């Protein structure tokens, strides 16, 4: 896809660890995971809701 392999991911993770710090890294992962979950939920088409016309 983007050409990321294991060495590249390890380098990115090491940079994140230095920039963010070890205490905030799990919190950052949770925020990113929640955002990804929300994005996937929003990207799925919704089923049309039925409206009762016999009112």
């Amino acid at each position: 896809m983007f050409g990321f392999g294991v060495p590249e991911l390890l380098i990115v993770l090491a940079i994140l660890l230095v920039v963010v710090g070890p205490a905030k890294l799990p919190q950052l992962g949770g925020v990113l995971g929640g955002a990804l979950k929300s994005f996937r939920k929003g990207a799925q088409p919704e089923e049309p809701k039925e409206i009762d016309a016999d009112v």
Side-chain angles (χ1 to χ4, degrees), residues 8-25:
E8 289 86 2
L9 290 176
L10 288 175
I11 291 171
V12 169
L13 226 141
I15 292 171
L16 273 176
L17 188 63
V18 169
V19 171
V20 177
K24 296 278 184 173
L25 198 57

Side-chain angles (χ1 to χ4, degrees), residues 17-49:
L17 188 63
V18 169
V19 171
V20 177
K24 296 278 184 173
L25 198 57
Q27 184 180 6
L28 180 65
V31 168
L32 289 175
L36 184 61
K37 182 179 178 182
S38 175
F39 178 75
R40 285 184 181 168
K41 184 178 178 184
Q44 291 179 350
E46 292 184 18
E47 296 180 13
K49 296 179 178 155

